[in-house]
Amino acid sequence: DAPKDEARKPVTEGDSSSAPPKKDPLGGVGAPMAKQVVLGMDYNINVHAAWDDWKAWSAEMAPYWTEDMIYDFGYVGPWDFGRAHGLREWFDGEHMHYNRALPDCQFTDFIRAATDTTCTSVSYGLARWEAPYAGVPPPASKPWVRVRDLDFYLVEGDKIKINWCIIDVVDMFMQVGYNVLPPPPMATDGYLAPKAMDGWPAPLSANVDPKATAASEQVWRAALHEDYRLHAGDARWWSESMVWYGPGGVGTAHSSREYSTHWLRPLHSAFSNLTMAIDMVVCEGPYCGAHFYLHGVHTGPWLGEEATGKRVSIRCGAHAHIEDGKIQEGWLIVDLPLAFHTLGVDLYARARELAVAAS
């Protein structure tokens, strides 16, 4: 055996044999803290780490969340797992329900913008719909579906405190022929990635100019204010050649005129005294997002429903790609099951009836 003083040689200058290998932080060099935290957590979601084992799953996830964390999912009717307080409630509710209905759903993030305390992502998931989702059974063929998804995160230090998440349930239903709303006024192109080389997902933080972030946020806040609070309807912050991927039941706009004609004007015609409450606005480089609620009185027809006179809550997650002072591309998901619930309409019940009729 070698003598002890030879077996354990001291590390000399330039000798990195016992030092940990250097590597970039999650999100790359320059990634804001919130982006790094969310990417670390999201890895466990995307690889379905111990997804059905509470003890192992919680051990993987706990380092990324505050003890009083909130996971705020979209409206799911009587299943009531939309807003979870704490990891266990999330695990027993939305997490297990979603993963049983759409097992091994593989998500692709194409936008992830962040600051040190906020983060947002725009994604789509690919999965077979294999078991009932919120009581709605899949077609017998258990088809592949594309799940439009968005998330907003509030981060405290290096842990996530709140995660707002919405999927476009109406669009998923439409893909399999469960048309719970009238035909959309515009054709649907999908939920496509930005037409830009800004990184994947966009933007690459190291390539972001803080001045561009500030300019984008100014445009984005102005657009939100005029489109929703001022009821302007002329979409003046949107490029004439913009593309807007609207929610299920509305479709894809290929001009600011189409966006105004088929989304803004019908919205403002349908709801009186419309107000807006914003939970979060986050921008990084040319990409911005906002999670907000619209509240108003339903006094005109909207998405096939005649006026009810009821006060309605419309939960929205919106994103934008901004260049040259104009919004070039936009993405919007609306929690339509929640909005219709406040109108007194159960979209999940409609979908179940359609599923039974098709079986």
Side-chain angles (χ1 to χ4, degrees), residues 25-343:
L26 291 169
V29 174
M33 176 56 73
K35 184 177 288 191
Q36 296 182 45
V37 173
V38 169
L39 279 169
M41 181 278 301
D42 246 6
Y43 174 80
N44 293 316
I45 297 292
N46 290 334
V47 301
H48 302 91
W51 71 271
D52 58 350
D53 180 336
W54 160 248
K55 186 176 181 180
W57 183 85
S58 61
E60 292 280 352
M61 297 295 281
Y64 299 100
W65 299 86
T66 63
E67 290 187 6
D68 60 348
M69 60 81 73
I70 295 172
Y71 182 81
D72 191 357
F73 193 62
Y75 179 73
V76 288
W79 273 255
D80 197 27
F81 55 70
R83 188 177 178 90
H85 296 261
L87 279 176
R88 185 70 206 227
E89 196 169 304
W90 176 23
F91 178 85
D92 290 337
E94 182 272 345
H95 173 79
M96 288 301 298
H97 187 94
Y98 185 93
N99 281 282
R100 287 178 178 134
L102 298 142
D104 196 33
C105 187
Q106 296 293 320
F107 282 94
T108 298
D109 302 316
F110 54 85
I111 293 174
R112 193 184 300 276
T115 68
D116 283 335
T117 58
T118 60
C119 184
T120 185
S121 61
V122 189
S123 319
Y124 63 87
L126 282 169
R128 280 191 179 276
W129 185 3
E130 295 192 2
Y133 178 83
V136 180
S141 62
K142 298 180 178 179
W144 284 89
V145 291
R146 290 164 174 79
V147 183
R148 304 183 186 192
D149 171 83
L150 62 81
D151 290 271
F152 288 84
Y153 303 89
L154 177 64
V155 174
E156 289 187 348
D158 61 355
K159 295 181 184 293
I160 303 165
K161 184 176 180 65
I162 304 176
N163 179 185
W164 293 273
C165 178
I166 317 174
I167 67 170
D168 195 329
V169 177
V170 169
D171 178 74
M172 186 177 82
F173 288 164
M174 290 172 59
Q175 290 176 48
V176 301
Y178 301 168
N179 295 311
V180 297
L181 297 179
M186 300 179 289
T188 299
D189 291 358
Y191 199 60
L192 304 184
K195 296 178 181 177
M197 297 174 68
D198 292 329
W200 190 271
L204 177 65
S205 296
N207 192 43
V208 167
D209 180 351
K211 293 180 180 178
T213 300
S216 296
E217 183 167 346
Q218 184 176 11
V219 170
W220 184 227
R221 287 186 180 275
L224 292 170
H225 182 68
E226 293 186 20
D227 288 359
Y228 295 108
R229 287 195 172 114
L230 295 187
H231 313 173
D234 59 359
R236 75 184 184 99
W237 293 102
W238 296 77
S239 167
E240 291 184 5
S241 58
M242 52 81 88
V243 178
W244 177 76
Y245 302 98
V250 179
T252 305
H254 289 272
S255 67
S256 55
R257 180 185 57 80
E258 288 186 347
Y259 168 67
S260 179
T261 299
H262 297 299
W263 173 245
L264 291 181
R265 290 176 185 170
L267 178 75
H268 292 299
S269 294
F271 298 99
S272 302
N273 304 317
L274 197 67
T275 61
M276 182 183 194
I278 297 177
D279 292 308
M280 180 178 289
V281 170
V282 55
C283 294
E284 187 182 12
Y287 297 92
C288 290
H291 182 269
F292 57 93
Y293 283 82
L294 302 172
H295 302 282
V297 180
H298 185 214
T299 52
W302 189 60
L303 298 177
E305 294 301 314
E306 295 300 321
T308 62
K310 294 182 178 181
R311 184 162 178 79
V312 178
S313 294
I314 306 172
R315 181 184 179 186
C316 303
H319 291 84
H321 173 206
I322 300 164
E323 297 283 357
D324 301 322
K326 294 284 188 177
I327 302 172
Q328 307 296 328
E329 297 171 284
W331 299 260
L332 178 68
I333 294 179
V334 177
D335 189 353
L336 287 174
L338 172 64
F340 273 68
H341 170 69
T342 57
L343 290 175

Side-chain angles (χ1 to χ4, degrees), residues 11-35:
V11 177
T12 59
E13 186 176 354
D15 180 2
S16 60
S17 59
S18 64
K22 292 182 178 180
K23 59 181 180 181
D24 289 345
L26 291 169
V29 174
M33 176 56 73
K35 184 177 288 191

